[in-house]
Structures are given as structure tokens and as C-alpha cells.
Amino acid sequence: MLYYRPVPRNRSAGSCWSIAQLGWALAFAAGVGAATFFVVNYQLSLPLRAAAAMLAIAPGVGYIVAMVRDVRRLDELQQRIYLEAVSVACAGTFLFTLLYPTLRRAGLAPEMSPTPVALVIVALASVSYLVAKRRFE
Amino acid sequence: MKNRLRVLRAERAWSQAELAARLGVSRQTVNAVETSKYDPSLPLAFDIARLFGRRIEEIFDPSEDGTTGAS
């Protein structure tokens, strides 16, 4: 009988998405909407404007905590796939944000708010996740 | 890395999902290991060996490395 010390592994091989993560994402979206509503429609003092911003920041932190917890629940292969997807998303978004001013000055990109950057991250992460997952099927 | 995981699983009439549940990993991981597309970590390899009552060398064969995505 081989002797070895079993490595505690309480991973349930779960999904990278959970109800908690979705709930925090919805709370974040609601918080952004509420903060925008109050800031746009009311003349608020600085402390109240900061409090309004916290309506979105607090659930945003909750989302990050839930996401990290879900990632820790993944098994080793799922974490590897997730890492590849996040790496591509981060690198691609990093290059996009650096390149955007040049494209803007060259007239090759329209004026954009920061919101599309979030969409770029999601799109890159989704595509690279599917590609990485396919490699191991 | 070539392995006998599929054979050992079939001997016990376990599905990939059943084996995955016993190992605490996803069915995708079990399938990737069986098809030599993923080499398990050392703790997982030991868990597999312990589950089947075999030595790691009896299950995994590094001499014919058909891995395409482990490194």
C-alpha cells in the first residue's frame, strides 16, 4: 500500500457561475442604475454623491468575492480553462485600451464611453473560454 | 499521457459522471484525462490510484506521451 498524505480537496467541481454571483451582478446593475438616477436627478452634496456611488460599489465588491469563491470551487482543469480565458481577456483589453487613443486620433475609432470596454472584456473572455474548453474535449 | 483510466472505469461499470463524483472533479476533467488531453495533478493522480487500488505507474504510462494540451 502506497503511503501518501491526501490533499484536502473540497472542490465540488462546480460551475464558474453561481446564483450568488448572478445575484450580486444584478445588485450591481441595480446599484449603478440607482446611483445614476440620484446623481442626475438631485443636487447632492459631495458626501451624498459618494453615498450614491456606494450603491454600486458595494455590490460590485460582493460580486468579486462571489466570483473568486466560485473559481476556488472549480476543479483543476476548469481552473486552467478559466485562467486561459481570463488571461486572453485581460491582455486583449489592456492592448485595446492602449491602442484606442491612437485609433481615435487616426479617425479609425469613434468616440466611446468606458462602457464598451466592459463589453470587450466579456466578449474576449467568452470566446477564449469556449476555445480553451474545446481543447480539452 | 496514455493511461488505463477508461479500462479501469469500465471494469467497475462506472460512468464518467460517477467517476468524476467519486474523485470530486468534473466529468469534463475525467474525459480529458481518459483521452490523454490533460495530465492530472499529482494529488488527483494519487486519488485516482487510491480509488482503483493501483499504483500510479500501473494507471499512467509516460513512455507513450500523446498529450496535446497539458503543457
Side-chain angles (χ1 to χ4, degrees), chain A residues 4 9 13 75-76 80 137, chain B residues 26 29 37 41 47 50 70:
Chain A
Y4 70 97
R9 192 148 38 92
D75 72 13
E76 53 191 64
R80 181 180 178 140
E137 289 178 348
Chain B
S26 64
T29 299
K37 291 185 177 179
S41 66
D47 281 349
R50 181 177 60 170

Side-chain angles (χ1 to χ4, degrees), chain B residues 28-40:
Chain B
Q28 179 187 16
T29 299
V30 169
N31 182 65
V33 173
E34 286 185 354
T35 55
S36 304
K37 291 185 177 179
Y38 176 71
D39 290 341

Side-chain angles (χ1 to χ4, degrees), chain A residues 55-75:
Chain A
L55 290 174
I57 294 175
V61 172
Y63 174 80
I64 293 173
V65 171
M67 183 184 67
V68 171
R69 189 176 58 222
D70 289 344
V71 170
R72 286 177 178 162
R73 288 193 184 130
L74 300 176
D75 72 13

Side-chain angles (χ1 to χ4, degrees), chain A residues 99-110:
Chain A
L99 186 60
Y100 173 74
T102 302
L103 294 176
R104 184 80 186 97
R105 289 195 191 99
L108 298 174

Side-chain angles (χ1 to χ4, degrees), chain A residues 27-101:
Chain A
F28 173 76
V32 170
T36 304
F37 173 80
F38 286 120
V39 169
V40 169
N41 293 290
Y42 296 92
Q43 294 290 331
L44 302 175
S45 62
L46 182 59
L48 287 179
R49 275 182 273 144
M54 283 302 297
L55 290 174
I57 294 175
V61 172
Y63 174 80
I64 293 173
V65 171
M67 183 184 67
V68 171
R69 189 176 58 222
D70 289 344
V71 170
R72 286 177 178 162
R73 288 193 184 130
L74 300 176
D75 72 13
E76 53 191 64
L77 178 57
Q78 291 172 324
Q79 285 186 344
R80 181 180 178 140
I81 293 171
Y82 195 85
L83 174 64
E84 289 191 20
V86 170
S87 298
V88 171
C90 285
T93 306
F94 177 72
L95 295 175
F96 173 75
T97 53
L98 289 181
L99 186 60
Y100 173 74

